Amino acid sequence: MFAQIISHTPLWVWALLAFLVYRGVLASVDRELTLKKLAIIPLVMLALSWQGVSTVFGILALPMLCWLLAAAVAATLTWRLFRKDRVSAYPERGVVFQRGSWLPLMLMMGIFLTKYTVGVTLAMHPALAQDTAFTVVVCTLYGVFNGMFIGRLLRVVNLYYSPQPAPGSYNGQLN
């Protein structure tokens, strides 16, 4: 059965997986990048997630509400828990320095595997697309993964546009 699933998977799915792994490995290394480049993967993942939700469950209240609530909670938690020492903003150069992390790869694989698993599951059991519990679980998973990407991106953008104290200057805190 596993061989059948793999053999019926379109070639573009494997190309997308390779691209996501490549981008995830890049994100694991310290690097400088522009905000535009930083936004690429969160926007690609957002598109994949929305496409997955809307084509499987439709643009209906329950799937959208589950996605939005999960994304809002995850984005808020990610914003609050984000370690500011992992990013340094250099607006004068138009870049941010970001410490390497395996989290983006894990999030990308989470969305990819959710989308792949949902596709396989629905190919074998199409009626699940109408099941409320299945809808809630899948849309919530998509929302959590995307919320983490969104919260992380918004936090970096906020740090980029926030005034940064000059090195060695007084910032109102005692050491």
Side-chain angles (χ1 to χ4, degrees), residues 60-141:
L60 302 171
L62 180 64
M64 296 300 125
L65 184 62
C66 289
W67 189 95
L68 285 170
L69 285 175
V73 168
T76 302
L77 286 173
T78 302
W79 173 286
R80 296 178 61 81
L81 298 174
F82 185 85
R83 290 185 45 205
K84 295 178 195 176
D85 64 333
R86 306 285 300 162
V87 173
S88 299
Y90 300 102
E92 67 282 359
R93 293 186 13 231
V95 298
V96 294
F97 172 79
Q98 186 170 301
R99 294 263 174 226
S101 171
W102 290 104
L103 181 63
L105 177 63
M106 291 187 295
L107 293 174
M108 287 184 277
M109 291 302 98
I111 292 172
F112 178 86
L113 291 173
T114 299
K115 191 165 174 53
Y116 189 81
T117 303
V118 167
V120 170
T121 301
L122 291 176
M124 295 175 8
H125 308 287
L128 279 176
Q130 309 309 315
D131 184 80
T132 302
F134 186 77
T135 301
V136 168
V137 168
V138 170
C139 294
T140 300
L141 273 174

Side-chain angles (χ1 to χ4, degrees), residues 3 6 16 19 35 43 45 47 84 87 99 121 134 157 170:
I6 299 298
L16 176 62
F19 171 75
L35 288 181
L43 293 176
M45 293 294 96
K84 295 178 195 176
V87 173
R99 294 263 174 226
T121 301
F134 186 77
V157 169
Y170 176 73

